[in-house]
Amino acid sequence: MKLAYWMYAGPAHIGTLRIASSFKNVHAIMHAPLGDDYFNVMRSMLERERDYTPVTASVVDRHVLARGSQEKVVNNIVRKDKEERPDLIVLTPTCTSSILQEDLENFVERATLDAQADVMLADVNHYRVNELQASDRTLQQVVQFYLNKAKKQGTLPEGKTEKPSVNILGLTTLGFHNQHDCTELKRLMADLGIEVNEVIPEGASVHNLKNLTRAWFNLAPYREVGLMTAEYLQSEFGMPYVDITPMGVVETARCIRKIQQILNEQGADVDYEEFIEHQTLYVSQAAWFSRSIDCQNLTGKKVVVFGDNTHAAAMTKILAREMGVHVVWAGTYCKYDQDWFREQVSEYCDEVIISEDNGEIGDAIARVEPAAIFGTQMERHVGKRLNIPCGVIAAPIHIQNFPIGYKPFMGYEGTNQIADLVYNSFTLGMEDHLLEIFGGHDTKEVIHKGISADSDLNWTKEAKAELNKVPGFVRGKVKRNTEKFARDRGLDQITIEVMYAAKEAVGA
């Protein structure tokens, strides 16, 4: 384990809390030390929530370490049950509770005796999985819990809905444009004559989970969350699922054709080819744009793509296949699912990078000097340091990437939003011309293609120590200026004196 100042995917308990707080009237009790409850603030800020986040920290303090946690945890569960009247309380373990080796399952059984709500333990290994894997596992666990409960009570509905219907799985709080994608997917299903049976977990009631089996099929648009639930429903109830992400003109059409195949196998008689053609030619502006003179200006432009599996893979295909942009490398931080990612993008880019190290990704970007970056908020920061524009396409994201306006990435409206994002992420045409006229371009020579502290020049120990005192956001610039100064004067070693001389030379 290593400490990091930037994590692409958070710890496991964040994933569990995302699922619990996405459902309606579900409360999470997090067994953790003070400070681990930052999720409440993060969710309230990013989602602009008007209500309190339904998460309570059962704090591990010195009294707990001395006497044990059971009494405190059980009391917190029972207290919240009386105060909030939730349908479900999820006890959320953390690394701390794992270190203490506490029998949380026993705590749940004890609390169940006094609580009116259902109580369950989120059973995830906090040392082996990250936020995304924990989200996927927790959602599947909640669904399984309520379907098993319905089986025992004999309340599980029999048969399918009269008309073709779908469950949309994996839409959660803090997801990248999830609410916008949800609206667009509902609209797409309505256009196809398909009823939306349930959307989980965002805004769903746990009481409705027993109705999941009535749908004709499941749609899991995000690879990170919802796929385990889709696989469970297929294995236990024989429900087919579609896991093709409808992002971009080609993949949206492929997703619709897969849905057509599944419905017809169950006795429906649908043909969506005319719909696909009409949407592609007349509704989606992206297909027209890709043939326009504006898009031709992008042909051959070098870009890099980085993010989660779903969005990075989809974006790589759109750029290379639909817009003629040259993807130098594509990467993901989802190392646990890297084989799928490689298989999806290998033919559309020159190189595939799998890494959780933001420093490595920053250096890989600087090495190839792309015309644009499509990545997470961290790659946007890297782009600002290197003066390379960046379009944000995946979480983790900043509040500015939780738009108030309607900006889906999926479906045919999503194709338009993505086309705008791609085009506006480049410096082209008249903007480029005006920058030349008014001297807006930075003409400083880039000497070292990297943003880390490594260098091909010999830095003395004292000079390295001095460089490390420079704030991180300008350290790369100071390093490049110093090395340019040294090379211009034929120096092969950088001392503190050289650093000071370089600083005076640039007037800093």
Side-chain angles (χ1 to χ4, degrees):
M1 183 182 290
K2 67 176 182 178
L3 295 175
Y5 65 89
W6 178 269
M7 293 185 298
Y8 288 109
H13 73 271
I14 296 296
T16 295
L17 296 178
R18 279 179 61 185
I19 298 300
S21 60
S22 293
F23 280 107
K24 281 193 301 188
N25 206 32
V26 172
H27 200 91
I29 303 286
M30 180 175 58
H31 188 43
L34 197 64
D36 269 8
D37 57 351
Y38 62 89
F39 175 83
N40 292 9
V41 177
M42 181 172 68
R43 180 174 180 269
S44 297
M45 176 187 73
L46 294 179
E47 291 282 14
R48 300 181 176 91
E49 287 289 333
R50 301 179 185 185
D51 301 321
Y52 286 110
T53 300
V55 175
T56 298
S58 182
V59 178
V60 177
D61 54 21
R62 58 193 178 92
H63 301 294
V64 166
L65 295 175
R67 297 198 303 264
S69 305
Q70 179 167 348
E71 182 181 356
K72 184 172 186 178
V73 172
V74 171
N75 287 342
N76 279 329
I77 292 174
V78 174
R79 177 173 61 85
K80 279 297 169 184
D81 177 62
K82 291 178 179 177
E83 290 175 359
E84 306 291 339
R85 297 295 180 192
D87 298 321
L88 170 67
I89 295 176
V90 179
L91 180 58
T92 308
T94 60
C95 290
T96 302
S97 61
S98 299
I99 291 171
L100 296 175
Q101 296 184 343
E102 295 173 317
D103 186 2
L104 298 184
E105 191 69 60
N106 180 261
F107 295 5
V108 168
E109 291 176 7
R110 171 68 185 81
T112 303
L113 300 175
D114 297 321
Q116 298 296 312
D118 293 319
V119 185
M120 65 169 280
L121 172 68
D123 185 18
V124 295
N125 188 320
H126 287 259
Y127 288 107
R128 291 185 178 273
V129 302
N130 64 22
E131 171 188 348
L132 301 177
Q133 294 166 286
S135 294
D136 206 13
R137 167 67 179 142
T138 302
L139 179 60
Q140 183 259 323
Q141 213 181 330
V142 172
V143 169
Q144 186 174 349
F145 179 90
Y146 278 96
L147 288 178
N148 286 340
K149 181 180 178 181
K151 276 185 187 177
K152 290 177 184 176
Q153 295 176 345
T155 58
L156 196 65
E158 293 184 4
K160 301 296 182 183
T161 57
E162 185 178 344
K163 295 181 179 179
S165 60
V166 61
N167 297 317
I168 303 176
L169 313 178
L171 296 143
T172 74
T173 186
L174 295 179
F176 180 75
H177 292 231
N178 272 200
Q179 293 181 5
H180 308 276
D181 286 346
C182 181
T183 301
E184 188 61 25
L185 289 174
K186 286 179 178 178
R187 181 183 297 173
L188 179 61
M189 292 302 114
D191 289 343
L192 297 174
I194 299 170
E195 295 178 347
V196 175
N197 186 52
E198 295 291 339
V199 177
I200 63 168
E202 183 62 25
S205 167
V206 293
H207 294 310
N208 293 342
L209 293 179
K210 63 185 179 183
N211 297 325
L212 287 172
T213 56
R214 300 199 68 218
W216 289 39
F217 72 100
N218 294 306
L219 174 61
Y222 305 112
R223 187 152 182 94
E224 292 73 28
V225 185
L227 199 53
M228 284 185 71
T229 304
E231 290 169 348
Y232 162 74
L233 290 170
Q234 183 183 58
S235 64
E236 289 295 315
F237 301 95
M239 299 180 68
Y241 68 86
V242 177
D243 61 351
I244 300 169
T245 302
M247 271 181 65
V249 174
V250 176
E251 290 297 288
T252 299
R254 194 163 74 90
C255 178
I256 293 172
R257 290 189 178 106
K258 182 65 176 177
I259 291 172
Q260 173 182 293
Q261 176 192 336
I262 286 175
L263 294 182
N264 287 339
E265 286 173 354
Q266 297 181 69
D269 183 17
V270 295
D271 184 352
Y272 295 135
E273 289 303 324
E274 188 176 329
F275 172 80
I276 292 171
E277 183 180 10
H278 176 74
Q279 293 287 320
T280 303
L281 294 179
Y282 303 110
V283 177
S284 168
Q285 296 296 306
W288 169 84
F289 175 77
S290 66
R291 292 171 174 80
S292 70
I293 187 67
D294 289 323
C295 193
Q296 288 175 27
N297 290 330
L298 305 181
T299 303
K301 290 279 185 181
K302 292 196 305 181
V303 302
V304 298
V305 181
F306 188 79
D308 61 18
N309 272 353
T310 298
H311 293 90
M315 201 68 191
T316 300
K317 293 176 185 177
I318 291 167
L319 289 165
R321 186 167 57 186
E322 299 180 20
M323 306 186 83
V325 177
H326 179 195
V327 181
V328 182
W329 62 255
T332 181
Y333 53 80
C334 298
K335 296 175 70 174
Y336 63 90
D337 201 16
Q338 61 177 289
D339 291 341
W340 178 88
F341 184 80
R342 288 184 187 278
E343 188 242 327
Q344 292 292 310
V345 305
S346 290
E347 65 177 292
Y348 299 109
C349 60
D350 300 342
E351 181 185 359
V352 177
I353 296 179
I354 313 292
S355 177
E356 297 173 336
D357 184 345
N358 62 282
E360 179 184 345
I361 297 304
D363 283 340
I365 292 170
R367 168 171 53 87
V368 300
E369 294 184 10
I373 305 165
F374 297 95
T376 73
Q377 183 66 21
M378 186 61 200
E379 283 66 58
R380 183 173 171 273
H381 297 326
V382 171
K384 283 188 175 293
R385 292 170 64 183
L386 297 173
N387 198 28
I388 301 172
C390 176
V392 177
I393 60 154
I397 48 183
H398 191 259
I399 191 168
Q400 69 191 58
N401 300 118
F402 283 84
I404 299 172
Y406 183 54
K407 290 191 176 180
F409 268 47
M410 292 190 179
Y412 287 106
E413 177 56 32
T415 64
N416 297 332
Q417 298 292 338
I418 292 170
D420 279 342
L421 175 71
V422 171
Y423 191 70
N424 293 334
S425 295
F426 289 91
T427 303
L428 298 165
M430 184 57 73
E431 181 186 7
D432 198 55
H433 180 59
L434 290 173
L435 282 169
E436 292 290 351
I437 292 174
F438 294 106
H441 281 298
D442 181 3
T443 56
K444 293 186 179 69
E445 181 184 358
V446 177
I447 295 300
H448 182 69
K449 294 184 179 180
I451 62 169
S452 68
D454 297 333
S455 173
D456 55 334
L457 290 178
N458 181 26
W459 287 66
T460 66
K461 185 177 179 181
E462 293 78 12
K464 283 184 179 179
E466 188 70 17
L467 180 64
N468 286 332
K469 292 179 184 178
V470 177
F473 65 94
V474 293
R475 190 177 299 148
K477 185 175 180 181
V478 170
K479 179 168 140 309
R480 289 195 296 273
N481 286 342
T482 304
E483 291 186 349
K484 182 179 186 306
F485 177 86
R487 282 193 179 89
D488 289 346
R489 287 155 182 78
L491 304 175
D492 58 5
Q493 185 177 59
I494 295 177
T495 63
I496 287 186
E497 289 74 23
V498 173
M499 287 186 70
Y500 289 154
K503 183 178 178 182
E504 290 179 9
V506 297

